[in-house]
Amino acid sequence: MEPMEYQAFIKPVGANCNLRCNYCYYNSSVKDIGGTGGAIMSEEVLEAYVKLNIAAAGSGPVFFAWHGGEPTLAGIDFYRKAVELQKRYQPDGIEIINGIQTNGTLVDDEWCRFLAENRFAVGISIDGQENLHNKNRRSLSGEGSFAPASGGFQRLKEYGLEPEILCVVSSTNADYPLDVYRYFRELGARWMTFLPLVIRDNDSYHGVLPLSVAPRRFGEFLCALFDEWVEHDIGLIKIQIIEEATRVAFNQEHTLCIFKKECGGVPVIELNGDFYSCDHYVNDDHRIGNIMETPLEGLLCSDRQRAFGKAKWTTLPRYCLECEVLDMCNGECPKNRFIATPSGEPGLNYLCEGYRLFFNHMRPFVDAVRNAGKR
């Protein structure tokens, strides 16, 4: 069987984190999987994953995506060991790529040297300038994390890295799209991702907690970013959702899981080796197995994981299938598909109004890119 395309999120410290962000879904839903708080993935599990990941990747590049919680809590020595194991088992001619998503607060000079020397791709979570960021991203003691997070970003830049900013768009910062974007630009960010915050609450009128971004507001936020980017930053800054939408101009498949027709290619490997279908589905119903008992390829290609991935497309309501921007959206993430269509059919994405607004706003640009490519 041809190896499936995947990029697992490895959780070396599980949900453990030095921050207590107001909107963190992982810390609130995952309770000490594989051990007590403060546990770190064992060397035995780490070595098993390195070998299995290289074997499952086939002839293509091998990706190691380190996530959390806060993955730097595993310590530099953990990652030194990981790199050592990667080199030990790396086949000739096969590229290995490491990426780490961090809150940036623990990134000192030693971390920067290590990450730069080993060519890690680094993502840092920042939600805008200080007054916006600190409202939701605070330490265990309640202090704002802006200063150490932005300091970590700047320090990484000094060591020659180009960290990507991951910004959570919530009701806190959704009204300030240009302020947020321009701040990131001034900070020197060249790669940006904007993730909408959606927290379910079945008891509320709108079905979400107030901190969630309103659908139309999210669409307007993205439209404002796009207009600013088109006017000033084409070729200078890459915004993930713009990159994804533009792929349809070249008939290319989406690279981001939420916009693919099928999902299941971004599973989670917890610190004890447990394999879960997705970062947003780390629960008993979606535990597929454990890498210490079943090869990674077997878990990725299992009937349950395949069914999980295919359900994204097969459960789309007709309203989506007939949508003019279906090729850009494909229903987005299944976790957000909990409202009804205008005709009452279940399974519409909560963010549909916003995505439809934004993708239609982008469509003339995408068409122009497509037409330019035909000349």
Side-chain angles (χ1 to χ4, degrees), residues 44-103:
E44 180 185 16
V45 174
L46 173 61
E47 183 168 5
Y49 181 71
V50 169
K51 290 192 291 186
L52 291 168
N53 192 31
I54 290 173
S59 60
V62 185
F63 295 95
F64 287 84
W66 307 97
H67 279 245
E70 174 46 46
T72 59
L73 290 174
I76 289 182
D77 286 342
F78 174 88
Y79 294 98
R80 288 194 177 112
K81 185 63 180 180
V83 171
E84 175 193 321
L85 290 167
Q86 290 168 0
K87 291 177 180 178
R88 183 188 306 174
Y89 295 110
Q90 182 178 14
D92 291 340
I94 298 298
E95 182 183 14
I96 289 180
I97 302 170
N98 283 284
I100 188 167
Q101 180 63 43
T102 172
N103 59 41

CSV table of all heavy atoms in Angstrom, one decimal, residues 44-103:
chain,number,residue,atom,x,y,z
A,44,GLU,N,12.5,5.3,25.3
A,44,GLU,CA,12.0,4.1,24.6
A,44,GLU,C,10.9,4.4,23.6
A,44,GLU,O,11.0,4.0,22.4
A,44,GLU,CB,11.5,3.1,25.6
A,44,GLU,CG,10.9,1.8,24.9
A,44,GLU,CD,10.3,0.8,25.9
A,44,GLU,OE1,10.0,1.3,27.1
A,44,GLU,OE2,10.1,-0.3,25.6
A,45,VAL,N,10.0,5.3,24.0
A,45,VAL,CA,8.9,5.7,23.1
A,45,VAL,C,9.4,6.6,22.0
A,45,VAL,O,9.1,6.5,20.8
A,45,VAL,CB,7.7,6.4,23.9
A,45,VAL,CG1,6.7,6.9,22.9
A,45,VAL,CG2,7.1,5.4,24.8
A,46,LEU,N,10.3,7.5,22.4
A,46,LEU,CA,10.9,8.4,21.4
A,46,LEU,C,11.7,7.6,20.3
A,46,LEU,O,11.5,7.9,19.1
A,46,LEU,CB,11.9,9.4,22.1
A,46,LEU,CG,12.7,10.3,21.2
A,46,LEU,CD1,11.8,11.2,20.4
A,46,LEU,CD2,13.7,11.1,22.0
A,47,GLU,N,12.5,6.7,20.7
A,47,GLU,CA,13.2,5.9,19.7
A,47,GLU,C,12.3,5.1,18.8
A,47,GLU,O,12.5,5.1,17.6
A,47,GLU,CB,14.2,5.0,20.4
A,47,GLU,CG,15.1,4.2,19.4
A,47,GLU,CD,16.3,3.5,20.0
A,47,GLU,OE1,16.4,3.5,21.3
A,47,GLU,OE2,17.1,2.9,19.3
A,48,ALA,N,11.3,4.5,19.4
A,48,ALA,CA,10.3,3.8,18.6
A,48,ALA,C,9.6,4.7,17.6
A,48,ALA,O,9.5,4.3,16.4
A,48,ALA,CB,9.3,3.1,19.5
A,49,TYR,N,9.2,5.9,18.0
A,49,TYR,CA,8.6,6.8,17.1
A,49,TYR,C,9.5,7.2,15.9
A,49,TYR,O,9.1,7.3,14.8
A,49,TYR,CB,8.0,8.0,17.8
A,49,TYR,CG,7.3,8.9,16.8
A,49,TYR,CD1,6.1,8.5,16.2
A,49,TYR,CD2,7.9,10.1,16.3
A,49,TYR,CE1,5.5,9.3,15.2
A,49,TYR,CE2,7.3,10.9,15.4
A,49,TYR,CZ,6.0,10.5,14.8
A,49,TYR,OH,5.4,11.2,13.9
A,50,VAL,N,10.7,7.6,16.3
A,50,VAL,CA,11.7,8.0,15.2
A,50,VAL,C,11.8,6.9,14.2
A,50,VAL,O,11.7,7.2,13.0
A,50,VAL,CB,13.1,8.3,15.9
A,50,VAL,CG1,14.1,8.5,14.8
A,50,VAL,CG2,13.0,9.6,16.7
A,51,LYS,N,12.0,5.7,14.6
A,51,LYS,CA,12.1,4.6,13.6
A,51,LYS,C,10.9,4.4,12.8
A,51,LYS,O,10.9,4.2,11.6
A,51,LYS,CB,12.5,3.3,14.4
A,51,LYS,CG,13.9,3.3,15.0
A,51,LYS,CD,14.3,1.9,15.4
A,51,LYS,CE,13.5,1.4,16.6
A,51,LYS,NZ,14.0,0.1,17.1
A,52,LEU,N,9.7,4.4,13.5
A,52,LEU,CA,8.4,4.1,12.8
A,52,LEU,C,8.1,5.3,11.9
A,52,LEU,O,7.6,5.1,10.8
A,52,LEU,CB,7.3,4.0,13.9
A,52,LEU,CG,7.4,2.7,14.7
A,52,LEU,CD1,6.4,2.8,15.9
A,52,LEU,CD2,7.1,1.5,13.8
A,53,ASN,N,8.4,6.5,12.3
A,53,ASN,CA,8.1,7.7,11.4
A,53,ASN,C,8.9,7.6,10.2
A,53,ASN,O,8.4,7.9,9.1
A,53,ASN,CB,8.3,9.0,12.2
A,53,ASN,CG,7.7,10.2,11.5
A,53,ASN,OD1,6.7,10.1,10.8
A,53,ASN,ND2,8.3,11.3,11.7
A,54,ILE,N,10.2,7.3,10.3
A,54,ILE,CA,11.0,7.2,9.1
A,54,ILE,C,10.5,6.1,8.2
A,54,ILE,O,10.5,6.3,7.0
A,54,ILE,CB,12.5,7.0,9.5
A,54,ILE,CG1,13.0,8.3,10.2
A,54,ILE,CG2,13.3,6.6,8.3
A,54,ILE,CD1,14.4,8.2,10.8
A,55,ALA,N,10.2,5.0,8.8
A,55,ALA,CA,9.7,3.8,8.0
A,55,ALA,C,8.4,4.2,7.2
A,55,ALA,O,8.2,3.8,6.1
A,55,ALA,CB,9.5,2.6,8.8
A,56,ALA,N,7.5,4.9,7.9
A,56,ALA,CA,6.2,5.2,7.4
A,56,ALA,C,6.2,6.2,6.3
A,56,ALA,O,5.4,6.3,5.4
A,56,ALA,CB,5.2,5.6,8.5
A,57,ALA,N,7.2,7.1,6.3
A,57,ALA,CA,7.3,8.2,5.4
A,57,ALA,C,7.7,7.8,4.0
A,57,ALA,O,7.5,8.5,3.0
A,57,ALA,CB,8.3,9.3,5.9
A,58,GLY,N,8.2,6.6,3.8
A,58,GLY,CA,8.6,6.1,2.5
A,58,GLY,C,9.8,6.9,1.9
A,58,GLY,O,10.7,7.2,2.7
A,59,SER,N,9.7,7.3,0.7
A,59,SER,CA,10.8,7.9,0.0
A,59,SER,C,10.8,9.5,0.2
A,59,SER,O,11.7,10.2,-0.3
A,59,SER,CB,10.8,7.6,-1.5
A,59,SER,OG,9.6,8.0,-2.1
A,60,GLY,N,9.7,10.0,0.7
A,60,GLY,CA,9.6,11.4,0.8
A,60,GLY,C,10.3,12.0,2.0
A,60,GLY,O,10.8,11.3,2.9
A,61,PRO,N,10.2,13.3,2.2
A,61,PRO,CA,10.8,13.9,3.4
A,61,PRO,C,10.1,13.4,4.7
A,61,PRO,O,8.9,13.0,4.6
A,61,PRO,CB,10.5,15.4,3.2
A,61,PRO,CG,10.3,15.6,1.8
A,61,PRO,CD,9.7,14.3,1.3
A,62,VAL,N,10.8,13.3,5.8
A,62,VAL,CA,10.3,12.8,7.0
A,62,VAL,C,10.1,14.0,8.0
A,62,VAL,O,11.0,14.8,8.3
A,62,VAL,CB,11.2,11.8,7.7
A,62,VAL,CG1,10.6,11.2,9.0
A,62,VAL,CG2,11.6,10.7,6.7
A,63,PHE,N,8.8,14.3,8.4
A,63,PHE,CA,8.5,15.4,9.2
A,63,PHE,C,8.4,15.0,10.7
A,63,PHE,O,7.7,14.0,11.0
A,63,PHE,CB,7.2,16.1,8.7
A,63,PHE,CG,7.3,16.7,7.4
A,63,PHE,CD1,6.9,16.0,6.3
A,63,PHE,CD2,7.8,18.0,7.2
A,63,PHE,CE1,7.0,16.5,5.0
A,63,PHE,CE2,7.9,18.5,5.9
A,63,PHE,CZ,7.5,17.8,4.8
A,64,PHE,N,8.9,15.8,11.6
A,64,PHE,CA,8.7,15.6,13.0
A,64,PHE,C,8.2,16.9,13.5
A,64,PHE,O,8.8,18.0,13.5
A,64,PHE,CB,10.0,15.3,13.7
A,64,PHE,CG,10.5,13.9,13.4
A,64,PHE,CD1,11.3,13.6,12.3
A,64,PHE,CD2,10.2,12.9,14.3
A,64,PHE,CE1,11.7,12.3,12.1
A,64,PHE,CE2,10.7,11.6,14.1
A,64,PHE,CZ,11.4,11.3,12.9
A,65,ALA,N,6.9,16.9,13.9
A,65,ALA,CA,6.2,18.1,14.4
A,65,ALA,C,6.0,18.0,15.9
A,65,ALA,O,5.1,17.3,16.3
A,65,ALA,CB,4.9,18.3,13.6
A,66,TRP,N,6.7,18.8,16.6
A,66,TRP,CA,6.7,18.8,18.1
A,66,TRP,C,5.7,19.8,18.6
A,66,TRP,O,5.9,21.0,18.4
A,66,TRP,CB,8.1,19.0,18.6
A,66,TRP,CG,9.2,18.1,18.0
A,66,TRP,CD1,10.0,18.4,17.0
A,66,TRP,CD2,9.5,16.8,18.4
A,66,TRP,NE1,10.8,17.3,16.7
A,66,TRP,CE2,10.5,16.3,17.6
A,66,TRP,CE3,8.9,15.9,19.4
A,66,TRP,CZ2,11.0,15.0,17.7
A,66,TRP,CZ3,9.5,14.6,19.5
A,66,TRP,CH2,10.5,14.2,18.6
A,67,HIS,N,4.7,19.3,19.3
A,67,HIS,CA,3.7,20.2,19.8
A,67,HIS,C,3.4,19.9,21.3
A,67,HIS,O,4.1,19.1,21.9
A,67,HIS,CB,2.4,19.9,19.1
A,67,HIS,CG,2.3,20.6,17.8
A,67,HIS,ND1,1.3,21.5,17.5
A,67,HIS,CD2,3.0,20.4,16.6
A,67,HIS,CE1,1.5,22.0,16.2
A,67,HIS,NE2,2.5,21.3,15.7
A,68,GLY,N,2.5,20.6,21.9
A,68,GLY,CA,2.1,20.5,23.3
A,68,GLY,C,0.7,20.7,23.5
A,68,GLY,O,-0.1,20.6,22.6
A,69,GLY,N,0.3,21.1,24.7
A,69,GLY,CA,1.1,21.8,25.7
A,69,GLY,C,2.2,22.7,25.2
A,69,GLY,O,2.1,23.3,24.2
A,70,GLU,N,3.3,22.8,26.0
A,70,GLU,CA,4.4,23.5,25.7
A,70,GLU,C,5.6,22.6,25.5
A,70,GLU,O,6.2,22.1,26.5
A,70,GLU,CB,4.7,24.6,26.7
A,70,GLU,CG,6.0,25.4,26.5
A,70,GLU,CD,6.2,25.8,25.0
A,70,GLU,OE1,5.2,26.4,24.4
A,70,GLU,OE2,7.3,25.7,24.5
A,71,PRO,N,6.0,22.3,24.2
A,71,PRO,CA,7.0,21.2,24.0
A,71,PRO,C,8.4,21.6,24.5
A,71,PRO,O,9.2,20.6,24.7
A,71,PRO,CB,7.0,21.1,22.5
A,71,PRO,CG,6.4,22.4,22.0
A,71,PRO,CD,5.4,22.8,23.0
A,72,THR,N,8.7,22.8,24.7
A,72,THR,CA,10.1,23.1,25.2
A,72,THR,C,10.2,22.7,26.7
A,72,THR,O,11.4,22.6,27.1
A,72,THR,CB,10.4,24.6,25.1
A,72,THR,OG1,9.4,25.4,25.9
A,72,THR,CG2,10.4,25.1,23.7
A,73,LEU,N,9.1,22.4,27.4
A,73,LEU,CA,9.2,21.9,28.7
A,73,LEU,C,9.9,20.5,28.8
A,73,LEU,O,10.4,20.0,29.8
A,73,LEU,CB,7.8,21.8,29.4
A,73,LEU,CG,7.2,23.1,29.7
A,73,LEU,CD1,5.7,22.9,30.2
A,73,LEU,CD2,8.0,23.9,30.7
A,74,ALA,N,10.0,19.8,27.6
A,74,ALA,CA,10.7,18.5,27.6
A,74,ALA,C,12.3,18.8,27.8
A,74,ALA,O,13.0,17.8,28.1
A,74,ALA,CB,10.5,17.8,26.3
A,75,GLY,N,12.7,20.0,27.5
A,75,GLY,CA,14.1,20.3,27.7
A,75,GLY,C,14.9,20.1,26.4
A,75,GLY,O,14.6,19.2,25.6
A,76,ILE,N,16.0,20.8,26.3
A,76,ILE,CA,16.8,20.7,25.1
A,76,ILE,C,17.4,19.3,25.0
A,76,ILE,O,17.6,18.8,23.8
A,76,ILE,CB,18.0,21.8,25.1
A,76,ILE,CG1,17.4,23.2,24.9
A,76,ILE,CG2,19.0,21.5,24.0
A,76,ILE,CD1,18.4,24.3,24.9
A,77,ASP,N,17.8,18.7,26.1
A,77,ASP,CA,18.4,17.4,26.0
A,77,ASP,C,17.5,16.4,25.3
A,77,ASP,O,18.0,15.4,24.6
A,77,ASP,CB,18.9,16.9,27.4
A,77,ASP,CG,20.1,17.6,27.9
A,77,ASP,OD1,20.8,18.3,27.1
A,77,ASP,OD2,20.4,17.6,29.1
A,78,PHE,N,16.2,16.5,25.5
A,78,PHE,CA,15.3,15.6,24.9
A,78,PHE,C,15.4,15.7,23.4
A,78,PHE,O,15.4,14.7,22.6
A,78,PHE,CB,13.8,15.9,25.3
A,78,PHE,CG,12.8,15.1,24.6
A,78,PHE,CD1,12.4,13.9,25.0
A,78,PHE,CD2,12.2,15.6,23.4
A,78,PHE,CE1,11.4,13.2,24.4
A,78,PHE,CE2,11.2,14.9,22.7
A,78,PHE,CZ,10.8,13.7,23.2
A,79,TYR,N,15.4,17.0,22.9
A,79,TYR,CA,15.5,17.2,21.4
A,79,TYR,C,16.9,16.9,20.9
A,79,TYR,O,17.0,16.4,19.7
A,79,TYR,CB,15.1,18.6,21.1
A,79,TYR,CG,13.6,18.8,21.5
A,79,TYR,CD1,13.2,19.4,22.6
A,79,TYR,CD2,12.6,18.4,20.6
A,79,TYR,CE1,11.9,19.6,23.0
A,79,TYR,CE2,11.3,18.5,20.9
A,79,TYR,CZ,10.9,19.1,22.1
A,79,TYR,OH,9.6,19.3,22.5
A,80,ARG,N,17.9,17.0,21.7
A,80,ARG,CA,19.2,16.6,21.2
A,80,ARG,C,19.2,15.1,21.0
A,80,ARG,O,19.8,14.6,20.0
A,80,ARG,CB,20.3,16.9,22.3
A,80,ARG,CG,20.6,18.4,22.4
A,80,ARG,CD,21.9,18.7,23.2
A,80,ARG,NE,22.2,20.1,23.2
A,80,ARG,CZ,22.2,20.9,24.2
A,80,ARG,NH1,21.8,20.4,25.4
A,80,ARG,NH2,22.5,22.2,24.2
A,81,LYS,N,18.6,14.4,21.9
A,81,LYS,CA,18.5,12.9,21.8
A,81,LYS,C,17.6,12.6,20.5
A,81,LYS,O,17.9,11.6,19.8
A,81,LYS,CB,17.8,12.3,23.0
A,81,LYS,CG,17.8,10.8,23.0
A,81,LYS,CD,19.2,10.2,23.0
A,81,LYS,CE,19.2,8.7,22.9
A,81,LYS,NZ,20.6,8.1,22.9
A,82,ALA,N,16.5,13.3,20.3
A,82,ALA,CA,15.7,13.1,19.1
A,82,ALA,C,16.5,13.3,17.8
A,82,ALA,O,16.4,12.4,16.9
A,82,ALA,CB,14.5,14.0,19.2
A,83,VAL,N,17.3,14.3,17.8
A,83,VAL,CA,18.1,14.6,16.6
A,83,VAL,C,19.1,13.5,16.4
A,83,VAL,O,19.4,13.0,15.3
A,83,VAL,CB,18.7,16.0,16.6
A,83,VAL,CG1,19.8,16.2,15.5
A,83,VAL,CG2,17.7,17.1,16.6
A,84,GLU,N,19.7,13.1,17.5
A,84,GLU,CA,20.7,12.0,17.4
A,84,GLU,C,20.1,10.7,16.9
A,84,GLU,O,20.7,10.0,16.0
A,84,GLU,CB,21.3,11.7,18.8
A,84,GLU,CG,22.2,10.5,18.9
A,84,GLU,CD,22.5,10.1,20.4
A,84,GLU,OE1,22.6,11.0,21.2
A,84,GLU,OE2,22.5,8.9,20.7
A,85,LEU,N,18.9,10.4,17.4
A,85,LEU,CA,18.2,9.2,16.9
A,85,LEU,C,17.8,9.3,15.4
A,85,LEU,O,17.9,8.4,14.6
A,85,LEU,CB,17.0,8.9,17.7
A,85,LEU,CG,17.2,8.5,19.2
A,85,LEU,CD1,16.0,8.5,20.0
A,85,LEU,CD2,17.8,7.0,19.2
A,86,GLN,N,17.4,10.5,15.0
A,86,GLN,CA,17.0,10.7,13.6
A,86,GLN,C,18.2,10.5,12.7
A,86,GLN,O,18.1,9.8,11.7
A,86,GLN,CB,16.5,12.2,13.4
A,86,GLN,CG,15.2,12.4,14.1
A,86,GLN,CD,14.8,13.9,14.1
A,86,GLN,OE1,15.6,14.8,13.7
A,86,GLN,NE2,13.7,14.2,14.7
A,87,LYS,N,19.4,11.0,13.1
A,87,LYS,CA,20.6,10.8,12.3
A,87,LYS,C,21.0,9.3,12.3
A,87,LYS,O,21.5,8.8,11.3
A,87,LYS,CB,21.7,11.6,12.9
A,87,LYS,CG,21.5,13.1,12.7
A,87,LYS,CD,22.6,13.9,13.3
A,87,LYS,CE,22.4,15.4,13.0
A,87,LYS,NZ,23.5,16.3,13.7
A,88,ARG,N,20.8,8.6,13.4
A,88,ARG,CA,21.1,7.2,13.5
A,88,ARG,C,20.3,6.4,12.5
A,88,ARG,O,20.8,5.4,11.9
A,88,ARG,CB,20.9,6.7,14.9
A,88,ARG,CG,21.4,5.2,15.1
A,88,ARG,CD,21.0,4.7,16.4
A,88,ARG,NE,21.5,5.5,17.5
A,88,ARG,CZ,21.2,5.3,18.8
A,88,ARG,NH1,20.4,4.3,19.1
A,88,ARG,NH2,21.7,6.1,19.8
A,89,TYR,N,19.0,6.7,12.4
A,89,TYR,CA,18.1,5.9,11.6
A,89,TYR,C,17.8,6.5,10.2
A,89,TYR,O,17.0,5.9,9.4
A,89,TYR,CB,16.8,5.6,12.3
A,89,TYR,CG,17.1,4.8,13.6
A,89,TYR,CD1,16.9,5.3,14.8
A,89,TYR,CD2,17.4,3.4,13.5
A,89,TYR,CE1,17.1,4.6,16.0
A,89,TYR,CE2,17.6,2.7,14.6
A,89,TYR,CZ,17.5,3.2,15.9
A,89,TYR,OH,17.7,2.5,17.0
A,90,GLN,N,18.4,7.6,9.9
A,90,GLN,CA,18.1,8.3,8.6
A,90,GLN,C,18.7,7.6,7.4
A,90,GLN,O,19.9,7.3,7.3
A,90,GLN,CB,18.7,9.7,8.7
A,90,GLN,CG,18.4,10.6,7.4
A,90,GLN,CD,19.0,12.0,7.6
A,90,GLN,OE1,19.8,12.2,8.5
A,90,GLN,NE2,18.6,12.9,6.7
A,91,PRO,N,17.8,7.2,6.5
A,91,PRO,CA,18.3,6.5,5.3
A,91,PRO,C,19.1,7.5,4.4
A,91,PRO,O,18.8,8.7,4.4
A,91,PRO,CB,17.1,6.0,4.6
A,91,PRO,CG,16.0,6.1,5.6
A,91,PRO,CD,16.4,7.2,6.5
A,92,ASP,N,20.0,7.0,3.6
A,92,ASP,CA,20.7,7.8,2.6
A,92,ASP,C,19.7,8.5,1.7
A,92,ASP,O,18.8,7.8,1.2
A,92,ASP,CB,21.7,7.0,1.8
A,92,ASP,CG,22.9,6.5,2.7
A,92,ASP,OD1,23.1,7.1,3.8
A,92,ASP,OD2,23.5,5.5,2.3
A,93,GLY,N,19.9,9.8,1.5
A,93,GLY,CA,19.1,10.5,0.5
A,93,GLY,C,17.7,10.9,1.0
A,93,GLY,O,16.9,11.5,0.2
A,94,ILE,N,17.4,10.7,2.3
A,94,ILE,CA,16.1,11.0,2.8
A,94,ILE,C,16.3,12.3,3.7
A,94,ILE,O,17.1,12.3,4.7
A,94,ILE,CB,15.5,9.9,3.6
A,94,ILE,CG1,15.2,8.7,2.7
A,94,ILE,CG2,14.2,10.3,4.3
A,94,ILE,CD1,14.2,8.9,1.6
A,95,GLU,N,15.5,13.3,3.4
A,95,GLU,CA,15.6,14.5,4.2
A,95,GLU,C,14.7,14.4,5.5
A,95,GLU,O,13.6,13.9,5.4
A,95,GLU,CB,15.1,15.7,3.4
A,95,GLU,CG,15.1,17.1,4.1
A,95,GLU,CD,14.6,18.2,3.3
A,95,GLU,OE1,13.9,17.9,2.2
A,95,GLU,OE2,14.8,19.4,3.6
A,96,ILE,N,15.2,14.9,6.6
A,96,ILE,CA,14.4,15.0,7.8
A,96,ILE,C,14.2,16.4,8.2
A,96,ILE,O,15.2,17.2,8.2
A,96,ILE,CB,15.1,14.2,9.0
A,96,ILE,CG1,15.1,12.7,8.7
A,96,ILE,CG2,14.5,14.5,10.3
A,96,ILE,CD1,15.7,11.8,9.7
A,97,ILE,N,13.0,16.8,8.5
A,97,ILE,CA,12.6,18.2,8.8
A,97,ILE,C,11.9,18.2,10.2
A,97,ILE,O,11.0,17.4,10.4
A,97,ILE,CB,11.6,18.7,7.8
A,97,ILE,CG1,12.3,18.7,6.4
A,97,ILE,CG2,11.2,20.2,8.1
A,97,ILE,CD1,11.4,19.0,5.3
A,98,ASN,N,12.4,19.0,11.1
A,98,ASN,CA,11.8,19.2,12.4
A,98,ASN,C,11.1,20.5,12.5
A,98,ASN,O,11.6,21.5,12.0
A,98,ASN,CB,12.9,19.2,13.5
A,98,ASN,CG,13.4,17.8,13.8
A,98,ASN,OD1,12.7,17.0,14.5
A,98,ASN,ND2,14.6,17.4,13.3
A,99,GLY,N,10.0,20.5,13.2
A,99,GLY,CA,9.2,21.8,13.4
A,99,GLY,C,8.7,21.7,14.8
A,99,GLY,O,8.4,20.7,15.4
A,100,ILE,N,8.7,22.9,15.5
A,100,ILE,CA,8.2,23.0,16.9
A,100,ILE,C,7.3,24.2,17.0
A,100,ILE,O,7.6,25.3,16.5
A,100,ILE,CB,9.4,23.0,17.9
A,100,ILE,CG1,8.9,22.9,19.3
A,100,ILE,CG2,10.3,24.3,17.6
A,100,ILE,CD1,10.1,22.7,20.3
A,101,GLN,N,6.2,24.0,17.7
A,101,GLN,CA,5.2,25.0,17.9
A,101,GLN,C,5.3,25.4,19.4
A,101,GLN,O,5.0,24.5,20.3
A,101,GLN,CB,3.8,24.6,17.6
A,101,GLN,CG,2.7,25.7,17.8
A,101,GLN,CD,3.0,26.9,16.9
A,101,GLN,OE1,3.3,26.8,15.8
A,101,GLN,NE2,2.8,28.1,17.5
A,102,THR,N,5.7,26.6,19.7
A,102,THR,CA,6.0,27.0,21.1
A,102,THR,C,5.3,28.3,21.4
A,102,THR,O,5.0,29.1,20.5
A,102,THR,CB,7.5,27.1,21.3
A,102,THR,OG1,7.8,27.7,22.6
A,102,THR,CG2,8.1,28.0,20.3
A,103,ASN,N,5.1,28.6,22.7
A,103,ASN,CA,4.6,29.9,23.1
A,103,ASN,C,5.7,30.9,23.2
A,103,ASN,O,5.5,32.1,23.5
A,103,ASN,CB,3.8,29.8,24.5
A,103,ASN,CG,4.6,29.2,25.6
A,103,ASN,OD1,5.8,29.6,25.8
A,103,ASN,ND2,4.0,28.4,26.5
